[in-house]
Amino acid sequence: MVVSREVPMEEYIQMAMEAREKAYAPYSDYLVGACLVTKEGAVFTGCNIENRALTPGNCAERTAFFKAISEGNKEFSRIVIVGGKRGKELIKTTPCGVCRQVMVEFCDPETFEVCVATGPRDYEVFKLKDLLPHAF
Ligand code: THU
């Protein structure tokens, strides 16, 4: 989906929340949703997907990135993340180190925004360069 108008953060947060409803996390019960926005305004959502063997699990952020990249997108402006334990209040969930490294591969650390939200109007925005300084 490409959106050409200025989209309020609230809408991206809502899309991340809807993606979170699809999370498959029976082992941690920590449900995460992400909404990744390309520079041209297309949106790709993702959720975390766990596995009984643990290591095959995937974070919501990488699910969104891999969906987008596999459909030919390589330029991104921001990602919005919502996470927290099932049935509890949302917690500001910053991306894990592996996801940060994936972001650095495809995003400009100076401009790419990582937004962690706990509600439609409650969020914090980080620049990628601050989340992964001195990146490889
Ligand atoms: N998780 C994410 O999907 N994104 C994050 O930013 C942090 C952690 C997932 C991985 C695992 O399925 C669960 O949350 C608990 O760590």
Side-chain angles (χ1 to χ4, degrees):
M1 178 184 32
V2 179
V3 184
S4 49
R5 68 189 162 84
E6 186 70 31
V7 178
M9 187 67 89
E10 200 169 329
E11 284 187 34
Y12 293 132
I13 294 170
Q14 184 58 38
M15 286 187 261
M17 288 192 179
E18 282 166 23
R20 181 173 176 264
E21 286 170 20
K22 308 229 170 42
Y24 176 76
Y27 304 103
S28 71
D29 246 1
Y30 198 93
L31 312 179
V32 187
C35 176
L36 175 64
V37 188
T38 71
K39 282 191 178 166
E40 61 170 6
V43 161
F44 293 86
T45 58
C47 62
N48 55 330
I49 305 166
E50 297 185 346
N51 188 278
R52 66 185 65 179
L54 299 183
T55 48
N58 205 46
C59 291
E61 295 90 325
R62 273 175 291 142
T63 302
F65 265 94
F66 295 157
K67 280 170 68 178
I69 293 157
S70 64
E71 292 188 22
N73 300 276
K74 286 198 191 64
E75 299 207 326
F76 304 102
S77 59
R78 67 160 56 118
I79 190 165
V80 177
I81 305 158
V82 294
K85 279 270 181 183
R86 185 191 306 277
K88 305 273 192 228
E89 276 185 22
L90 294 173
I91 297 168
K92 281 183 182 161
T93 301
T94 51
C96 79
V98 174
C99 288
R100 293 178 199 203
Q101 187 65 37
V102 168
M103 290 175 193
V104 157
E105 186 72 22
F106 293 99
C107 308
D108 179 351
E110 298 284 335
T111 60
F112 186 72
E113 292 181 345
V114 178
C115 167
V116 296
T118 52
R121 278 169 297 279
D122 183 20
Y123 60 87
E124 199 169 337
V125 181
F126 298 93
K127 287 275 185 275
L128 180 54
K129 68 172 177 190
D130 297 321
L131 293 183
L132 191 60
H134 311 291
F136 174 64

